[in-house]
């Protein structure tokens, strides 16, 4: 059987190999969950700067308003909608409404996620102290909502016979990570296999499903705690490049995975971690 991506006509054969062509996302419809801050915002910026039509879904109205003002000032196309991804019917409804409104969905970044607090080497991060309500909230946002995002987006992408789904995992999903909580590592590992599973089912429809696994990046996660140099220090000690990442550094990978440049990449999770997982 011929590879599915060949059937969609999305292979590099039809491109002229100039980077402008293979990374061209102009006119694409892109949805980013958790897009009002940090990595999601950088993903939205790079897609919009390359003339994609971007819809941000986020729980934080104030940040969504700020994003709209910034994008408007830069003359970039942006739509926003307030949404708690933990509300699965609302999440899937927003994705279906976007497909209806724009006529298609080219790329979805299932990026919204929350930290699960401290890791097992702190008093409240120890296994005996993990609270059921915290566990359930993290699972709902970091895992169930990611599944629901893939489920809803895939309906439209199968019909279109093409699309890109990109899930934000973490290096904490690829290896043990002493600084973060149990529910976080469990969900971030779970989505790595969810990506593989969805990728094999959706391959014949030309839909590529991949993950990104960031190392420590200076965002507002966990209340922006990495902005405190004392808190950041032990994280940096695990990074061969010996620094935190900047949210802007996600842009190249986002554009790769959200464009036809990644036409033969599916089912994988790519670390973007300053070398952390090489150790
Ligand atoms: N920053 C890091 O070091 C790091 C490392 C590995 C993985 N990640 C992952 O990257 C993703 C983005 O995190 P970030 O670091 O940019 O954090 P961030 O806090 O800066 O941004 C997360 C965004 O998600 C939104 N959000 C949170 N809960 C939501 C919900 N229930 N519904 C809708 N939106 C919601 C927030 O309002 C915020 O705008 C997360 O999945 C996170 O686990 C981050």
């Amino acid at each position: 059987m011929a590879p599915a991506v060949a059937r969609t006509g999305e292979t590099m054969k039809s491109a002229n190999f100039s980077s402008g062509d293979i990374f061209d996302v102009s006119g694409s419809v892109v949805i980013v969950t958790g897009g009002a801050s940090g990595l999601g915002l950088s993903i939205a910026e790079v897609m919009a700067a390359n003339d994609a039509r971007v819809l941000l879904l986020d729980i934080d109205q104030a940040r969504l308003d700020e994003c709209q003002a910034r994008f408007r000032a830069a003359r970039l196309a942006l739509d926003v909608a307030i949404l708690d991804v933990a509300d699965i019917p609302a999440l899937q409804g927003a994705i279906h409404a976007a497909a209806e409104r724009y006529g298609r969905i080219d790329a979805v970044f299932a990026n919204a996620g929350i930290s699960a607090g401290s890791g097992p080497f702190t008093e409240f991060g120890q296994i005996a102290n993990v609270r059921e309500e915290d566990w359930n909230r993290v699972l709902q946002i970091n895992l169930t909502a990611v599944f629901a995002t893939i489920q809803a987006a895939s309906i439209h992408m199968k019909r279109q016979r093409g699309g890109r789904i990109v899930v934000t995992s973490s290096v904490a999903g690829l290896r043990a990570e002493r600084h973060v909580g149990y529910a976080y590592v469990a969900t971030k590992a779970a989505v790595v296999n969810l990506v593989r599973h969805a990728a094999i089912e959706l391959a014949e429809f030309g839909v590529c499903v991949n993950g990104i696994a960031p190392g420590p990046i200076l965002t507002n996660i966990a209340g922006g705690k990495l902005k405190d140099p004392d808190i950041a220090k032990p994280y940096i000690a695990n990074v061969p490049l010996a620094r935190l990442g900047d949210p802007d550094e996600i842009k190249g990978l986002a554009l790769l995975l959200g464009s036809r440049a990644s036409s033969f990449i599916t089912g994988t999770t790519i670390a973007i971690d300053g070398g952390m997982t090489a150790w």
Side-chain angles (χ1 to χ4, degrees):
M1 195 167 78
V5 284
R7 278 188 242 142
T8 69
E10 279 194 283
T11 65
M12 288 303 99
K13 272 197 170 66
S14 58
N16 68 9
F17 288 94
S18 84
S19 59
D21 187 30
I22 63 174
F23 291 101
D24 182 8
V25 291
S26 56
S28 294
V29 174
V30 177
I31 299 176
V32 186
T33 69
S37 169
L39 301 180
L41 178 54
S42 284
I43 292 166
E45 283 174 354
V46 73
M47 300 307 278
N50 284 278
D51 297 322
R53 174 100 228 174
V54 178
L55 169 64
L56 293 190
L57 301 174
D58 203 286
I59 199 172
D60 189 326
Q61 183 70 62
R63 285 210 178 111
L64 284 174
D65 292 344
E66 277 171 37
C67 291
Q68 262 197 318
R70 274 184 52 193
F71 277 60
R72 199 176 301 126
R75 296 179 186 282
L76 297 176
L78 181 72
D79 293 320
V80 303
I82 184 93
L83 176 85
D84 179 352
V85 295
D87 180 345
I88 302 302
L91 167 64
Q92 296 198 317
I95 292 170
H96 298 321
E100 175 84 34
R101 174 175 176 186
Y102 303 111
R104 56 184 295 110
I105 303 174
D106 296 290
V108 169
F109 289 84
N111 166 78
I114 56 170
S115 137
S118 309
F121 296 95
T122 61
E123 186 187 350
F124 295 111
Q126 286 168 12
I127 198 161
N129 298 327
V130 174
R131 291 186 306 180
E132 193 181 347
E133 70 255 38
D134 293 341
W135 174 268
N136 288 339
R137 176 84 180 147
V138 174
L139 255 70
Q140 184 72 3
I141 293 172
N142 290 10
L143 178 56
T144 307
V146 169
F147 170 74
T149 303
I150 299 172
Q151 188 180 47
S154 66
I155 292 170
H156 306 286
M157 291 179 177
K158 276 169 79 171
R159 188 172 30 82
Q160 296 163 192
R161 299 196 74 79
R164 298 281 184 272
I165 299 173
V166 184
V167 172
T168 308
S169 175
S170 166
V171 288
L174 302 178
R175 53 171 242 177
E177 169 55 63
R178 62 186 290 140
H179 302 298
V180 294
Y182 275 94
Y184 193 78
V185 298
T187 55
K188 292 300 180 180
V191 297
V192 170
N193 223 26
L194 197 57
V195 158
R196 293 191 187 106
H197 219 55
I200 60 165
E201 180 187 338
L202 298 175
E204 70 172 291
F205 300 98
V207 179
C208 295
V209 188
N210 291 294
I212 58 178
I217 297 184
L218 203 50
T219 67
N220 291 308
I221 199 160
K225 68 176 185 178
L226 287 175
K227 290 170 188 165
D228 178 337
D230 288 335
I231 293 178
K233 213 170 171 180
Y235 286 87
I236 292 171
N238 281 332
V239 180
L241 287 179
R243 63 176 174 84
L244 298 175
D246 184 285
D248 273 352
E249 292 181 288
I250 209 84
K251 288 181 174 175
L253 186 53
L255 189 57
L256 170 69
L257 294 179
S259 68
R260 59 205 293 271
S262 56
S263 56
F264 204 53
I265 303 175
T266 198
T268 196
T269 292
I270 300 175
I272 175 157
D273 64 352
M276 218 174 145
T277 40
W279 265 350

